[in-house]
Amino acid sequence: MYRQIQKRNGTTRTVVVTPSAYGTDNSCTLDALAQLGADARGVGVVAKEVTDEELARLDRAGIKGLRFNVAITSVMTPEMIEPMARRIAPLGWHLQLNMSNDDLLANRDMLTKLPVPIVFDHFAKIPVQNSESHPVFKFVTDLLAAKRAYIKLSGAYLVSKVGGPSYSDVTPLARKLIDLAPTQVLWGSDWPHPTEKHKPDDAALVDMMASWAGSEEKLKALLVDNPARLYHF
C-alpha cells in the first residue's frame, strides 16, 4: 500500500516513525527499513534503560532519531529528553517532539540547550489563529533561526479549524515558517493518517505543500535537501 502511495506522490525516500501503539518495540519499523532498503531511515522509541549496544544496533539499521510523543503517551517523558540527547549526540541523531504548547513552554530552557537538533512534529501545534503572537511561535522560530531545530509541516488536519480538503487556515502559518527558515522545514505525509476517520487524498496533500513552498528552490529544500541533511541520506 505504501509503495502505491509513493508511486502516486512521486517520492522515493522514506522516513518510518515508530507508531505510539508499539511502545518501545521498534521491530516493525526495523522490518520496514529492511524491506524498503537504502532509501529508508527511521525514527524510533526507546526506554530509558536502553543500552549503548542497542542504540548502535538501531543506528546500523537506519534509525536516525528518537521520538518523544509526550502529547499522548508516557512511554517517553520530558525528564528523559536531556539525558537521552546526550547519549545519542555521538550518533548524530535528533529528537522528534510531539508536545503540547504548555509542555513546550514549561521545558523551553532545557530544550534550548540540547546537544542535538530538535524536530517539532505537526507544526509544533502552534495555533493557526493569531499564530505569530503565540509564545510557542517565537520559541520555535528562534530555534529554527539558530539552526538548532526543524519543524515538520505534517498533519495539517491536526491544527486546522477549517478542515479539508483545503485546510486554508493553515496556509499562512506554513508559508511564514517556510519564509522564515527555508533550510529548517520538513514535509511529512503522516500516512496512513491514523487520527483521521475519513482519509485525505495524499496527492492533494503534496500539491498543497507545493503551493506553500511557492518556489522550486524552497520546494527542493523542503523535500530533498533538508531531510537529506537531517536523516543522513
Side-chain angles (χ1 to χ4, degrees), residues 46-55 58 66 84 87:
V46 299
K48 62 182 179 181
E49 299 84 10
V50 65
T51 64
D52 291 340
E53 290 75 18
E54 175 64 4
L55 291 175
L58 294 174
L66 294 180
M84 197 60 71
R87 294 185 62 191

Side-chain angles (χ1 to χ4, degrees), residues 92-112:
W93 289 12
H94 65 274
L95 289 179
Q96 180 174 320
L97 302 181
N98 184 18
M99 301 174 74
S100 69
N101 290 170
D102 288 344
D103 280 336
L104 283 177
L105 294 175
N107 292 281
R108 68 177 123 186
D109 289 342
M110 177 267 289
L111 295 174
T112 301

Side-chain angles (χ1 to χ4, degrees), residues 14-226:
T14 305
V15 178
V16 182
V17 181
T18 297
S20 301
Y22 288 87
T24 59
D25 182 359
N26 295 288
S27 57
C28 186
T29 296
L30 297 179
D31 181 69
L33 295 181
Q35 292 191 53
L36 290 165
D39 284 333
R41 299 289 186 270
V43 178
V45 181
V46 299
K48 62 182 179 181
E49 299 84 10
V50 65
T51 64
D52 291 340
E53 290 75 18
E54 175 64 4
L55 291 175
R57 183 182 79 89
L58 294 174
D59 183 65
R60 291 191 298 272
I63 298 291
K64 299 302 171 187
L66 294 180
R67 187 187 193 207
F68 281 74
N69 194 2
V70 179
I72 64 171
T73 178
S74 59
V75 171
M76 299 182 81
T77 64
E79 292 73 26
M80 292 172 59
I81 292 176
E82 189 172 18
M84 197 60 71
R86 290 197 299 268
R87 294 185 62 191
I88 66 172
L91 296 170
W93 289 12
H94 65 274
L95 289 179
Q96 180 174 320
L97 302 181
N98 184 18
M99 301 174 74
S100 69
N101 290 170
D102 288 344
D103 280 336
L104 283 177
L105 294 175
N107 292 281
R108 68 177 123 186
D109 289 342
M110 177 267 289
L111 295 174
T112 301
K113 299 172 184 175
L114 293 180
V116 299
I118 296 171
V119 174
F120 293 105
D121 222 348
H122 304 317
F123 290 86
K125 293 184 164 45
I126 299 169
V128 293
Q129 303 299 325
N130 303 313
S131 58
E132 292 183 52
S133 64
H134 196 282
V136 170
F137 180 88
K138 176 171 173 46
F139 167 59
V140 168
T141 54
D142 282 352
L143 286 177
L144 298 180
K147 298 187 186 258
R148 296 179 57 82
Y150 294 80
I151 191 162
K152 194 176 285 189
L153 308 184
S154 60
Y157 38 75
L158 296 174
V159 294
S160 175
K161 303 299 182 185
V162 172
S166 70
Y167 310 106
S168 57
D169 54 339
V170 181
T171 297
L173 173 60
R175 288 178 174 166
K176 185 68 175 178
L177 292 169
I178 294 170
D179 288 344
L180 284 173
T183 65
Q184 307 304 119
V185 289
L186 307 163
W187 173 71
S189 68
D190 202 38
W191 187 87
H193 318 292
T195 62
E196 304 307 292
K197 182 177 180 181
H198 302 289
K199 306 302 181 184
D201 182 332
D202 287 275
L205 293 180
V206 173
D207 289 343
M208 179 178 65
M209 179 271 304
S211 74
W212 291 344
S215 72
E216 288 295 323
E217 181 183 9
K218 289 179 180 176
L219 185 61
K220 182 176 180 290
L222 202 156
L223 282 180
V224 181
D225 300 335
N226 301 345

